Amino acid sequence: MLGYCYENGIGTNIDLQKAFKLYEKAANLGNNIAQYNLALMYKEGKYVDKNINKAFELFEKSAKGENLNGINMLGYCYEYGIGTNIDLQKAFELYQKAANLGNNIARYNFALMYKEGKCVNKNDGKAFELFKKSAEGENLSGINMLGYCYENGIGTDINMKKEFELYHKTANLGNNAAQYNLALMYKEGRYVDENYERAFEFLKKSAEGKNLRGINLLGYYYENGIGTNIDLQKAFKLYKKAANLGNNIAQY
């Protein structure tokens, strides 16, 4: 926890070097939370050079110590081949284990597998149930995806009121995907009155949060003067940024 304080500037200045050393010390002594935190530093290249193999090794140790975040992230590594080969069966089993033990991020990841039919038969009802549990645990991605389910009738009836409320809640808590979705509702006048200025405001927040669709669409707003003045230079820069990060609409 002293490492966590140094990493996040809690009661002291941020010092990633001290955070790393403290996590490493506690991890080597068997603390599974420290193993998880240290793994994240290696995964993200935070203070140390990015090392996905080391990250995987530490997530595995954390998971063996029954740390729920570690179990979930080990599943994530198996799903996307981070420091190991892709193994969707292992990912599914690890998400299921952590989800059943109450981890809200794992519930979200597990729900996505059911929604996409990844390693398991597609099951919208099961996906909705898991997104709902994740949302009840205040997981922002879960709340946003629950809104998406209500928007598109995935495992439930379409309910624009619930959709709007969930997107609004998550957007105000800083979820950039929800900010993007809420911006669309204001732009299209879906459930709420059409409001381009409000749409622009939420879209700008989404872009600031590095949401690629948000960055691209903000460029479109600047190009066409939607909720703001036309500014082709800003439009160009935003398209270029999103394009370089792989957004194919921005590339277009």
Side-chain angles (χ1 to χ4, degrees), residues 167-185:
Y167 285 157
H168 205 279
K169 177 180 179 179
T170 327
N172 287 338
L173 290 170
N175 184 278
N176 56 52
Q179 289 162 346
Y180 173 84
N181 290 332
L182 194 59
L184 289 182
M185 293 192 82

Side-chain angles (χ1 to χ4, degrees), residues 158-213:
I158 289 173
N159 188 324
M160 285 193 288
K161 181 182 178 184
K162 286 186 178 178
E163 170 200 353
F164 178 79
E165 289 172 352
L166 288 162
Y167 285 157
H168 205 279
K169 177 180 179 179
T170 327
N172 287 338
L173 290 170
N175 184 278
N176 56 52
Q179 289 162 346
Y180 173 84
N181 290 332
L182 194 59
L184 289 182
M185 293 192 82
Y186 277 111
K187 178 181 180 289
E188 297 165 5
R190 189 153 37 89
Y191 179 70
V192 288
D193 291 336
E194 189 178 85
N195 188 326
Y196 287 169
E197 288 75 20
R198 193 82 170 129
F200 175 80
E201 176 190 326
F202 277 109
L203 201 58
K204 193 173 180 183
K205 288 179 180 178
S206 177
E208 288 168 354
K210 309 293 182 187
N211 183 278
L212 292 193
R213 292 183 302 165

